[in-house]
Amino acid sequence: MANWYQNAIFYELHVRAFNDSNGDGHGDLAGLRQKLDYLQWLGVDCIWLLPINASPLKDDGYDVASYYTIHPTFGFLEEFKLLLEDVHARGMKLIVDMVMNHTSDEHPWFIESKRSKDSPLRDWYVWSDTTEKYKDARIIFTDSETSNWAYSAETGEYYWHRFYSAQPDLNYDNPAVQQAMMDVVRFWLDMGVDGFRLDAIANLYEREGTTCENLPETHAFIKEMRRFVEANYDDRVLLGEVNQWPRDLLAYFGDDGQGGSDELHMCFHFPVMPRLYMGLAMADNTSIIDILNDTPTLPNGAQWATFLRNHDELSLEMVTKEEHAYMWSVYAPKPEMRFGLGVRRRLAPLLGGDVRKIALMHSMLLTLPGTPVLYYGDEIGMGDNVKLPDRNGVRTPMQWNSESNGGFSFAPAAKLYAPVIADKKFGFAKINVEAQQADPDSLLNTVRGMITARKANPALQSGALVWMAGAPKETLCFTRGADDGQQYTTHVLHNLSDQPQQVKLPDGLEATDIFTTERVSGEVTLAPYAWRWLRG
Ligand code: NOJ
């Protein structure tokens, strides 16, 4: 039997952006509780919450100031417990972001550590009297940081940070740090969360002469965490954020010596994501097929997490130089659309608001191997706001209806943590949940239909992937689950181009369209950007 996370639909959301119950302009846990019906209706199995801990929000919560408290505008721990109860009562799961690599510079540990070279917590962070150490580690936030070292005036030394300088890295060489973070893990698991999305988990240790990523010491720590989780809890999941090539990611699943995994249960498949956009823009399936052919088989019990967009920039670290230039020219023609190497835009605006393309991308997400992770708002084709700084433009309030603030909050608009999208094309007056729920042909109902169909179809969840021979390169056509004894074998056709395409189904195949129940065989004509799921 597969583990729950191998077949689930994940939904990533930001509590601040989802629903404001008390009118202070910030989404909160109570607001999220009011929207669980919606998530259940959509078919979500597991909610992933972006960081909810107390934080000065210099990196939107990825700068944690206290691992044991919740950010005050979100609510108290009691409210979080109620949320968990409500989620579990619906048969759903909930995971939280766990930021282990670094803290905020306002965390009491760091305030104590920087105070003096003799501080008992000095060694909880990585200090140096020179910036010459670990030169081979890349700078991640190239738009704002010029070094991985930042000067601290209190002691005249530098501290190590892989992200913003307000996010000092913890020193995992110190057993007390390891213990402190395992205590945090225990606290949240005891509370009842179903697992963690582990932020920046490849970066825990530093070693001279290395990139300070993927080090053996990091793997040893993850193994220890997995052992602790398995020994004490049932059915929890560790989902790693590791932006690497699939072959290098394999090590993060570990190997228990019996064909199983003993590190992370899941990792995001970063490289496939930009190739879906590229395949669509070029009307050419080559790079999608290449990357999936180059994706190794995982150990038993492990799974990829696939996605179209998330709360960060659309990451382009896992493409070649030429592909990068192409992606920027198509998807980020203006400088304000870029962040680091990536693209700080949402799914719908990236695709010009073309509902055919947005649905097509969802179809690929929901039929290719992996557990799909949806990003809040993309199911209705929400827009973005490139005028907002950092990656905030893709984190604007959820658009529930056409009332004021899109139904997100009853606060005066000026009090919202970020303006709701209000432009003609993507604004809440036009793009909102309520309107799309009422329209059977809306993007939302289309995506929901796909989710329902996928959940009823074991072949789409776990069946082997076989490319359909002879399909034109302008299409992405494949069969899932031919290995399952035929009951659910599903043939999936996508037209990546703006021209009709002919696809010849396998000889002798008589298939049924899962959505229209039409019987099909022989040659199928796909309209521009059409997608079909055929069972047979
Ligand atoms: C990855 C997160 O997704 C991103 O939002 C954050 O800025 C960095 N890690 C640092 O925590």
Side-chain angles (χ1 to χ4, degrees):
M1 245 250 319
N3 297 303
W4 67 266
Y5 53 83
Q6 290 177 284
N7 282 339
I9 304 289
F10 279 54
Y11 187 96
E12 172 192 5
L13 69 89
H14 198 0
V15 172
R16 179 184 308 287
F18 211 54
N19 187 34
D20 171 17
S21 73
N22 61 1
D24 67 354
H26 298 253
D28 45 47
L29 294 167
L32 170 56
R33 286 177 63 210
Q34 295 165 355
K35 296 297 183 184
L36 292 178
D37 284 346
Y38 168 71
L39 297 177
Q40 190 173 21
W41 169 85
L42 184 58
V44 171
D45 299 302
C46 181
I47 303 166
W48 153 29
L49 298 186
L50 293 182
I52 53 171
N53 287 134
S55 160
L57 303 180
K58 289 182 189 154
D59 185 11
D60 212 1
Y62 285 97
D63 46 332
V64 174
S66 160
Y67 289 98
Y68 295 101
T69 53
I70 291 187
H71 193 68
T73 61
F74 297 169
F76 294 102
L77 272 175
E78 279 312 308
E79 191 73 47
F80 183 75
K81 281 188 193 157
L82 295 175
L83 170 68
L84 267 179
E85 272 172 30
D86 288 357
V87 167
H88 289 156
R90 286 171 161 77
M92 293 157 69
K93 312 253 184 201
L94 184 139
I95 66 170
V96 291
D97 231 296
M98 175 60 64
V99 191
M100 306 192 92
N101 176 67
H102 46 268
T103 69
S104 159
D105 60 357
E106 294 180 31
H107 194 293
W109 295 342
F110 187 71
I111 293 173
E112 172 55 34
S113 180
K114 73 173 181 178
R115 191 178 51 80
S116 123
K117 288 186 187 167
D118 304 322
S119 159
L121 297 195
R122 184 65 169 179
D123 200 30
W124 280 45
Y125 293 84
V126 183
W127 292 99
S128 165
D129 54 8
T130 143
T131 57
E132 292 305 303
K133 283 167 87 176
Y134 312 136
K135 282 278 188 209
D136 298 329
R138 70 193 164 115
I139 293 166
I140 295 174
F141 286 161
T142 45
D143 291 347
S144 52
E145 301 297 330
T146 50
S147 166
N148 285 322
W149 292 104
Y151 184 70
S152 174
E154 281 87 344
T155 56
E157 282 199 333
Y158 301 89
Y159 61 89
W160 180 249
H161 62 91
R162 289 309 302 276
F163 298 92
Y164 289 126
S165 58
Q167 292 164 297
D169 273 37
L170 285 161
N171 175 18
Y172 277 82
D173 277 320
N174 183 342
V177 167
Q178 294 182 24
Q179 189 53 55
M181 290 314 296
M182 290 297 258
D183 289 346
V184 172
V185 163
R186 184 205 324 263
F187 174 81
W188 289 96
L189 291 174
D190 284 350
M191 179 95 61
V193 302
D194 297 290
F196 303 110
R197 179 261 192 193
L198 297 165
D199 184 64
I201 196 71
N203 303 330
L204 299 187
Y205 285 82
E206 299 73 37
R207 290 290 178 268
E208 205 52 73
T210 74
T211 61
C212 299
E213 290 173 18
N214 315 326
L215 292 171
E217 292 82 354
T218 297
H219 285 288
F221 180 79
I222 298 173
K223 266 193 216 304
E224 181 53 29
M225 182 160 52
R226 170 73 178 260
R227 199 202 51 70
F228 169 75
V229 172
E230 302 286 307
N232 296 291
Y233 307 91
D234 292 326
D235 290 336
R236 311 297 169 101
V237 68
L238 301 176
L239 161 59
E241 187 228 1
V242 187
N243 196 346
Q244 306 279 341
W245 294 100
R247 301 223 158 255
D248 299 326
L249 271 172
L250 197 53
Y252 281 90
F253 293 99
D255 176 3
D256 69 358
Q258 291 158 26
S261 140
D262 68 350
E263 287 191 29
L264 302 174
H265 303 87
M266 299 177 82
C267 284
F268 289 105
H269 195 316
F270 276 93
V272 75
M273 179 272 302
R275 287 171 176 77
L276 298 177
Y277 289 91
M278 212 152 58
L280 184 56
M282 299 172 89
D284 183 342
N285 63 25
T286 313
S287 68
I288 305 175
I289 292 184
D290 285 352
I291 197 74
L292 287 166
N293 286 348
D294 202 32
T295 296
T297 311
L298 295 181
N300 296 329
Q303 176 64 305
W304 296 108
T306 48
F307 61 103
L308 299 174
R309 285 296 290 112
N310 62 22
H311 63 290
D312 285 329
E313 75 281 14
L314 189 164
S315 142
L316 290 175
E317 270 146 342
M318 295 295 119
V319 297
T320 64
K321 247 188 152 152
E322 295 72 40
E323 291 169 336
H324 183 259
Y326 177 77
M327 284 292 287
W328 261 15
S329 71
V330 176
Y331 289 115
K334 297 187 184 150
E336 65 265 29
M337 296 172 171
R338 302 171 185 172
F339 181 85
L341 289 175
V343 182
R344 45 188 217 107
R345 301 176 75 192
R346 261 190 185 265
L347 176 67
L350 282 167
L351 304 179
D354 187 332
V355 175
R356 295 172 308 171
K357 294 185 188 175
I358 305 170
L360 179 78
M361 290 289 272
H362 276 99
S363 172
M364 292 196 278
L365 177 73
L366 287 157
T367 56
L368 286 170
T371 288
V373 183
L374 309 180
Y375 183 50
Y376 86 92
D378 282 349
E379 74 275 24
I380 55 170
M382 229 170 92
D384 55 30
N385 182 351
V386 291
K387 293 200 180 71
L388 298 179
D390 205 315
R391 291 143 293 172
N392 298 356
V394 301
R395 303 175 186 177
T396 58
M398 181 67 175
Q399 298 169 200
W400 295 105
N401 56 41
S402 58
E403 288 158 32
S404 65
N405 301 327
F408 160 74
S409 169
F410 57 81
K415 274 190 79 185
L416 299 194
Y417 76 91
V420 64
I421 303 289
D423 62 59
K424 242 183 149 175
K425 198 162 178 183
F426 300 106
F428 64 90
K430 180 167 168 224
I431 305 287
N432 65 67
V433 170
E434 199 177 282
Q436 294 198 25
Q437 278 187 318
D439 171 4
D441 297 325
S442 66
L443 176 66
L444 176 60
N445 272 314
T446 304
V447 170
R448 178 173 182 252
M450 287 189 219
I451 291 174
T452 310
R454 178 192 156 102
K455 289 171 84 158
N457 185 325
L460 290 179
Q461 298 168 3
S462 52
L465 168 79
V466 180
W467 303 113
M468 206 177 278
K473 75 165 179 23
E474 291 83 0
T475 67
L476 189 74
C477 299
F478 51 87
T479 301
R480 297 286 314 271
D483 54 336
D484 82 339
Q486 309 305 315
Q487 202 193 346
Y488 287 100
T489 302
T490 302
H491 308 277
V492 190
L493 317 178
H494 296 103
N495 183 356
L496 303 171
S497 79
D498 60 0
Q499 300 296 317
Q501 298 291 335
Q502 308 286 335
V503 178
K504 197 175 158 308
L505 294 180
D507 283 342
L509 174 70
E510 286 264 335
T512 307
D513 187 302
I514 290 181
F515 298 101
T516 64
T517 70
E518 186 196 336
R519 297 285 289 166
V520 268
S521 59
E523 198 144 282
V524 179
T525 304
L526 293 174
Y529 305 117
W531 45 275
R532 294 190 78 171
W533 301 9
L534 308 173
R535 190 142 115 201

